[in-house]
Amino acid sequence: MKVFSLVLLTLLLVALWTGSQGVSFRSPYGACCYKEMFIRQKIPASFIRSYEKTPSHCSRKAVRVELLKGKKYCVDPEEGWFQQYQQQKESTSSST
């Protein structure tokens, strides 16, 4: 019983320490997009909250789009509708 308590206490301390150090055991590939994650339909600009490019270590070049309701989808950055959206966002942010 003492060994079990000691192991449990050790695990708890390690969990607290890694949390305070900002260490994450999640894979860096969690931000990548894979073939089955892509959406091909045009997403209306009014539905998009934000977007970000996937990291360079990902096997597929993609953009993760977050909608106003919090859902995230992967989009091909070469899609015409997305390029138009991106140009529109860049032109409105540079004119303000």
Side-chain angles (χ1 to χ4, degrees):
M1 186 68 179
K2 290 181 182 182
V3 173
F4 177 74
S5 297
L6 184 60
V7 169
L8 192 59
L9 179 63
T10 304
L11 287 174
L12 179 63
L13 290 174
V14 167
L16 289 172
W17 180 78
T18 57
S20 68
Q21 299 298 313
V23 176
S24 174
F25 293 112
R26 290 182 1 171
S27 168
Y29 292 96
C32 295
C33 292
Y34 302 100
K35 185 178 179 179
E36 60 276 355
M37 298 169 71
F38 281 82
I39 185 170
R40 298 201 56 87
Q41 300 113 296
K42 178 182 178 181
I43 300 172
S46 60
F47 289 14
I48 299 175
R49 173 182 292 159
S50 63
Y51 68 90
E52 65 179 346
K53 293 179 181 179
T54 54
S56 60
H57 63 66
C58 297
S59 62
R60 290 183 180 267
K61 186 176 179 183
V63 175
R64 289 178 52 122
V65 175
E66 182 178 3
L67 304 185
L68 293 174
K69 293 186 177 184
K71 287 193 174 194
K72 293 182 181 177
Y73 295 99
C74 296
V75 175
D76 181 348
E78 303 301 318
E79 288 278 347
W81 71 265
F82 183 75
Q83 288 183 353
Q84 287 177 340
Y85 170 78
Q86 198 172 21
Q87 288 172 354
Q88 177 189 7
K89 281 301 246 188
E90 289 172 1
S91 67
T92 56
S93 66
S94 64
S95 65
T96 55

